[in-house]
Amino acid sequence: MSAMAGDIGASIRGKFEGFWQAPKKNSVIVCFDCKTQQEVVGGAPSTNCRKCGAHQDLRDYKIATSFSRSIRTHGELHLTSKGDLSSTNVICRSAVIEGKLRGNLTCAESARIDFVGKIPGRLVAQHVLIERRSDVQFFRRVRVKNIEIHGRMTGDVIAETVVLIHRNASLDGNVTAKAISVEKGGMFSGQLVIGNVDLKQAELLPTAEPGAASPGEEQQPLFARPLPAA
């Protein structure tokens, strides 16, 4: 009887815990259009900018199939293993990438990559984490504030601050950053530029010279505005 009572009690507690979930906390967003900051209520699906009136999407998105529409949200984006994101303009707060990224993705905060294969799309984020199981090849330069690599990555990186390669991880590509840290057992192969240099708009990497910038590229400030549609 005591075991049965315990099971019933656990079931009841589980139902009440699900019912009495803590509400999402309020957060601060920056308007996509006029860049005005404002506080928004946690759990709200959308709001309007208090200054310019522009619509602000606050929802999270889960992509589990082919998807080509534009997204502009202050929420999170989850590209599942069966997802195929080919949108030319996707902006979100943070993202988890487990599927095919063939479009342009800009994350205001972080991007976590748990994927094996080629990524022909363009990724811009403040912080990028390459998971331990990942083995990814980027066709375009990855622009970040910092990047942390636990798995294997091939591609060029432009980082505002630091590139960190953990034990048993590897990076094969050219790096432009203020600092790079390679733990014992980690591997880095490529050209390295340390310090302040002219950072240019990421383009498809040429076949002959993977680290070279394309002719006629215009200089762009990091994270100043969302990337234009391709």
Side-chain angles (χ1 to χ4, degrees):
M1 292 295 292
S2 59
M4 183 181 296
D7 292 341
I8 294 174
S11 176
I12 294 174
R13 284 194 301 272
K15 291 181 180 179
F16 274 95
E17 286 171 359
F19 181 79
W20 293 106
Q21 287 182 351
K24 291 186 177 180
K25 296 181 180 180
N26 293 359
S27 59
V28 176
I29 64 170
V30 178
C31 175
F32 292 118
D33 297 325
C34 71
K35 308 306 177 186
T36 298
Q37 289 189 357
Q38 71 183 66
E39 185 176 5
V40 295
V41 177
S46 65
T47 188
N48 292 323
C49 175
R50 58 182 174 82
K51 183 177 180 180
C52 69
H55 177 76
Q56 307 293 311
D57 192 351
L58 306 176
R59 295 172 296 177
D60 297 333
Y61 285 81
K62 183 176 182 180
I63 298 174
T65 183
S66 296
F67 190 91
S68 59
R69 291 180 296 159
S70 295
I71 297 176
R72 194 170 71 161
T73 181
H74 295 285
E76 298 181 356
L77 182 139
H78 182 194
L79 178 60
T80 70
S81 58
K82 295 182 179 180
D84 184 351
L85 181 60
S86 59
S87 309
T88 57
N89 189 21
V90 174
I91 302 171
C92 62
R93 178 170 58 84
S94 60
V96 176
I97 301 171
E98 299 173 336
K100 297 178 181 178
L101 175 61
R102 297 188 291 122
N104 300 330
L105 175 61
T106 300
C107 302
E109 295 181 5
S110 63
R112 181 169 65 86
I113 299 174
D114 189 359
F115 179 72
V116 175
K118 298 178 180 180
I119 298 182
R122 178 182 295 156
L123 175 64
V124 176
Q126 288 282 312
H127 314 283
V128 170
L129 173 64
I130 307 294
E131 292 284 13
R132 190 178 305 277
R133 296 177 298 178
S134 296
D135 186 355
V136 292
Q137 178 183 1
F138 287 92
F139 281 67
R140 297 176 183 266
R141 297 188 186 98
V142 180
R143 299 172 68 94
V144 297
K145 183 175 182 180
N146 58 65
I147 183 169
E148 187 174 351
I149 302 172
H150 291 268
R152 299 177 63 185
M153 173 180 166
T154 302
D156 290 0
V157 176
I158 296 178
E160 278 191 348
T161 57
V162 65
V163 174
L164 177 58
I165 303 173
H166 286 272
R167 182 179 180 183
N168 298 326
S170 66
L171 171 60
D172 184 359
N174 300 326
V175 171
T176 299
K178 287 187 177 180
I180 185 170
S181 175
V182 183
E183 293 184 352
K184 184 177 181 180
M187 294 181 60
F188 169 68
S189 177
Q191 295 182 352
L192 176 62
V193 177
I194 296 294
N196 294 324
V197 295
D198 292 333
L199 303 181
K200 300 188 176 183
Q201 178 72 30
E203 295 293 340
L204 279 171
L205 302 181
T207 302
E209 299 179 8
S214 300
E217 289 181 333
E218 297 181 356
Q219 295 185 16
Q220 298 287 342
L222 282 178
F223 314 119
R225 294 182 181 279
L227 290 174

